[in-house]
Amino acid sequence: MSEPDKHEPDPAVPPLDTIDDSQRIPPPRRPAPPRPHPIKAADDIPPGAIAAFGIVALVALLLTLKWGIPKGIDWYHHQDRAWFTQWTATVANPVHAYLSAHTVGLPLTATSAVVIWQGVGIVSLALSWLTGAVGARLTWTAHGACSVFMVWAAAPAAGRPVAAALTVLAWTIGSLFALRGLSLRPLIHLHNHSQNHPAR
């Protein structure tokens, strides 16, 4: 004969009463912290220090106007800017020689090829800088790679490494504008799909 169940039955669980969302009372808002008072430099700095700073600034301005600007103008007039012309020729002359040697027998002349090379470089640089389009940046990258290859192939053997290095430097300087804002870091997007559902 089985023993009677000594466990008392569980009390009846009352049903959960839900209220409408419009009747819910939001939690009280925390008061905003007080804003710090603005720093008033004129009240914190002694008047003597302000006067001394003004005198020093005035003396520095007078010295700049009397000696600094004339020295700067004289230095500017005595600068030799032949380095820029030489750098341009180091890059452009091998490219022109390469195109002249490899356009023989083609309907395209060497002069037209040089104009196309210059035009593609300028247009791709401008479009990459202004629009940041992927196609323009790819064109600019291909233009730089082709330029370095042509300079390496057509430059004199003794100066070939220097000419190629100067070409790479010229392309990287242009890339400061053409590839601005480009990042190689992967973008990680986190999406939170959880939603707070009211209790039923």
Side-chain angles (χ1 to χ4, degrees):
M1 183 175 181
S2 61
E3 296 181 359
D5 189 4
K6 298 180 180 181
H7 297 285
E8 297 180 356
D10 295 334
V13 179
L16 296 177
D17 296 331
T18 59
I19 61 176
D20 190 71
D21 292 340
S22 61
Q23 298 178 357
R24 297 179 183 272
I25 301 176
R29 296 183 178 180
R30 294 184 179 179
R35 295 183 179 181
H37 297 285
I39 300 176
K40 297 181 180 180
D43 298 339
D44 299 335
I45 301 177
I50 297 177
F53 179 78
I55 293 173
V56 171
L58 180 61
V59 172
L61 178 62
L62 294 176
L63 292 177
T64 302
L65 293 176
K66 186 174 182 180
W67 285 288
I69 293 179
K71 290 289 185 181
I73 295 175
D74 183 69
W75 174 84
Y76 177 78
H77 286 301
H78 289 83
Q79 286 300 307
D80 184 12
R81 284 173 290 275
W83 63 269
F84 182 77
T85 305
Q86 296 171 1
W87 190 355
T88 305
T90 302
V91 176
N93 289 349
V95 172
H96 191 278
Y98 182 89
L99 294 176
S100 299
H102 291 81
T103 53
V104 178
L106 298 178
L108 183 69
T109 62
T111 304
S112 299
V114 171
V115 172
I116 293 174
W117 171 72
Q118 294 174 343
V120 170
I122 295 173
V123 172
S124 61
L125 173 61
L127 290 178
S128 300
W129 180 31
L130 297 176
T131 65
V134 178
R137 288 179 171 179
L138 290 177
T139 305
W140 169 255
T141 304
H143 181 273
C146 294
S147 300
V148 174
F149 173 77
M150 289 188 291
V151 170
W152 178 267
R160 184 174 296 166
V162 176
L166 291 176
T167 306
V168 172
L169 288 178
W171 181 82
T172 53
I173 292 174
S175 298
L176 294 175
F177 304 94
L179 304 181
R180 65 182 180 89
L182 182 64
S183 177
L184 299 179
R185 295 181 179 180
L187 296 178
I188 301 176
H189 300 280
L190 298 178
H191 300 280
N192 186 8
H193 298 285
S194 62
Q195 298 179 356
N196 295 326
H197 299 282
R200 295 294 181 183

